[in-house]
Amino acid sequence: MSYVLAPHEGATEGLQRVIREQAEKMASECSEAQEHASAFAHKARVRCKRIRAALRLARPLMTEKAFARENRWWRDLARLLSDLRDASARIEALESLRPFLVARIGPEATHRLEERFKSERREVDASTSIAAFIAQLEARDGDLVPQLADGGRDKLVKALGETYRMAREAMRTALESGEAELLHEWRKQSKYHALQVRLMRQQFPDALDRRVAGVRDLAELLGEVQDIEVVVEASRNWKQRPGGFFDVLKSRRTALVTGASATGAALFAEKPKAWIGCLTPPVLAGQD
């Protein structure tokens, strides 16, 4: 099944199924990890993010100790691939910006920067990182799905509301400061919210179906902002960079943040309790 809780599924069985499927897919992909290191690192980290989003949704069905242990384990597992992922992310970020940069600094300068990033990626010891990742995954010995207490959709709504609150607060803080680190935090919290909305959309289709596209669009806008931050940071010591390089990236960043601000304002206009109110009635009147 896909990354979504089916209407007929209970909260506990549905979340356990989702986590199991993501973990099993990740384990099956390990067989070709060394041959496709960059692609594997990206996909594995995405699966870890999906599992952590599901764990946050399952938090009311776990003890705080159990949640902290599981969340930390999946976070640390993903971090084993951080160096490899960061090196690949520079190339992917540049690729997303290629049309913009070619039009402003020219194809030759863009190509020189691409070669610089590819050279840096070749220096990363992908084999060791992937081996450590696989070893830690296998050490769990198949015990990858947490025990969850029985619970209804009302418990999941509570967790979804908390993720909404965190994304809304991260937006306010990021837009007040404009700092790269806080914009990245807003993106991170928005992605968790987007994944949980995706998980819950069939439980509350009237409220969440249209929201799926909106929160995805916001995450993509903030992802483009992050791409610029990645390229800027990786280019600080680039002696061959053309004049005005950072200025053109700054102008693009400003436009993207403006777009994200407008999108976020529409998505997070309501206070958390008011927004949760649109989800609560079906739970009280229906099953669970």
Side-chain angles (χ1 to χ4, degrees), residues 124-154:
V124 175
D125 186 359
S127 178
T128 299
S129 297
I130 290 174
F133 179 93
I134 294 174
Q136 184 158 320
L137 188 63
E138 292 178 343
R140 285 282 297 251
D141 194 26
D143 181 26
L144 297 167
V145 182
Q147 294 297 313
L148 303 178
D150 291 334
R153 288 186 296 174
D154 57 321

Side-chain angles (χ1 to χ4, degrees), residues 1-17:
M1 294 180 69
S2 60
Y3 189 76
V4 61
L5 301 180
H8 66 275
E9 283 185 302
T12 300
E13 65 175 304
L15 286 170
Q16 287 181 321
R17 173 190 59 78

Side-chain angles (χ1 to χ4, degrees), residues 114-127:
E114 179 183 24
E115 289 302 307
R116 175 187 172 91
F117 289 171
K118 286 183 176 180
S119 176
E120 291 172 348
R121 185 176 63 180
R122 287 192 290 269
E123 294 175 2
V124 175
D125 186 359
S127 178

Side-chain angles (χ1 to χ4, degrees), residues 100-101 104-105 228 243-253:
F100 178 81
L101 288 176
R104 287 159 179 80
I105 66 172
I228 290 174
F245 177 71
F246 290 145
D247 290 336
V248 298
L249 289 177
K250 182 179 179 181
S251 68
R252 176 62 176 164
R253 180 186 187 275

Side-chain angles (χ1 to χ4, degrees), residues 4-5 10 31 38 44 72 110 150 182 185 208 217 227 263 265 288:
V4 61
L5 301 180
S31 61
S38 296
R72 182 174 58 249
T110 304
D150 291 334
L182 294 177
E185 180 64 19
L208 297 183
D217 289 346
D227 286 343
T263 303
D288 301 329

Side-chain angles (χ1 to χ4, degrees), residues 13-275:
E13 65 175 304
L15 286 170
Q16 287 181 321
R17 173 190 59 78
V18 163
I19 293 171
R20 181 181 302 106
E21 287 179 354
Q22 291 299 311
E24 288 177 348
K25 288 176 180 178
M26 185 188 305
S28 68
E29 290 158 358
C30 288
S31 61
E32 297 183 356
Q34 296 289 1
E35 292 78 18
H36 307 284
S38 296
F40 173 77
H42 171 69
K43 191 176 293 186
R45 285 171 62 83
V46 167
R47 295 205 186 282
C48 287
K49 179 75 73 175
R50 289 179 180 177
I51 289 171
R52 292 180 68 196
L55 285 171
R56 288 188 177 201
L57 204 55
R59 190 169 186 169
L61 308 178
M62 309 169 69
T63 65
E64 280 301 308
K65 183 177 180 180
F67 169 77
R69 180 181 64 249
E70 290 294 322
N71 185 58
R72 182 174 58 249
W73 192 88
W74 288 104
R75 180 202 65 196
D76 292 347
L77 181 69
R79 284 180 176 175
L80 292 173
L81 299 174
S82 292
D83 288 346
L84 175 57
R85 179 60 196 146
D86 288 349
S88 298
R90 295 176 198 132
I91 298 172
E92 291 169 16
L94 181 61
E95 188 61 31
S96 74
L97 292 167
R98 183 182 296 279
F100 178 81
L101 288 176
V102 166
R104 287 159 179 80
I105 66 172
E108 291 186 9
T110 304
H111 178 71
R112 288 198 302 270
L113 184 57
E114 179 183 24
E115 289 302 307
R116 175 187 172 91
F117 289 171
K118 286 183 176 180
S119 176
E120 291 172 348
R121 185 176 63 180
R122 287 192 290 269
E123 294 175 2
V124 175
D125 186 359
S127 178
T128 299
S129 297
I130 290 174
F133 179 93
I134 294 174
Q136 184 158 320
L137 188 63
E138 292 178 343
R140 285 282 297 251
D141 194 26
D143 181 26
L144 297 167
V145 182
Q147 294 297 313
L148 303 178
D150 291 334
R153 288 186 296 174
D154 57 321
K155 297 291 182 65
L156 305 193
V157 167
K158 177 182 177 182
L160 182 61
E162 176 62 12
T163 307
Y164 176 96
R165 183 194 66 77
M166 293 176 69
R168 188 173 187 264
E169 180 63 20
M171 176 182 72
R172 183 189 64 80
T173 305
L175 292 177
E176 284 179 356
S177 72
E179 294 180 8
E181 184 177 346
L182 294 177
L183 285 166
H184 177 64
E185 180 64 19
W186 179 21
R187 179 196 180 210
K188 183 173 71 174
Q189 298 303 333
S190 295
K191 287 182 74 173
Y192 277 126
H193 180 64
L195 287 168
Q196 290 185 353
V197 167
R198 180 178 167 187
L199 277 170
M200 294 286 287
R201 69 184 186 274
Q202 290 187 11
Q203 302 284 323
F204 302 99
D206 291 344
L208 297 183
D209 263 355
R210 286 180 294 178
R211 190 172 184 85
V212 169
V215 290
R216 183 184 62 238
D217 289 346
L218 175 60
E220 289 177 355
L221 280 169
L222 293 172
E224 289 186 59
V225 174
Q226 178 67 14
D227 286 343
I228 290 174
E229 303 292 357
V230 167
V231 171
V232 167
E233 186 60 31
S235 304
R236 293 199 183 279
N237 296 323
W238 183 30
K239 296 180 180 179
Q240 294 179 304
R241 70 172 181 264
F245 177 71
F246 290 145
D247 290 336
V248 298
L249 289 177
K250 182 179 179 181
S251 68
R252 176 62 176 164
R253 180 186 187 275
T254 299
L256 289 168
V257 171
T258 299
S261 176
T263 303
L267 286 169
F268 298 107
E270 296 180 279
K271 293 183 178 180
K273 285 185 179 180
W275 184 75

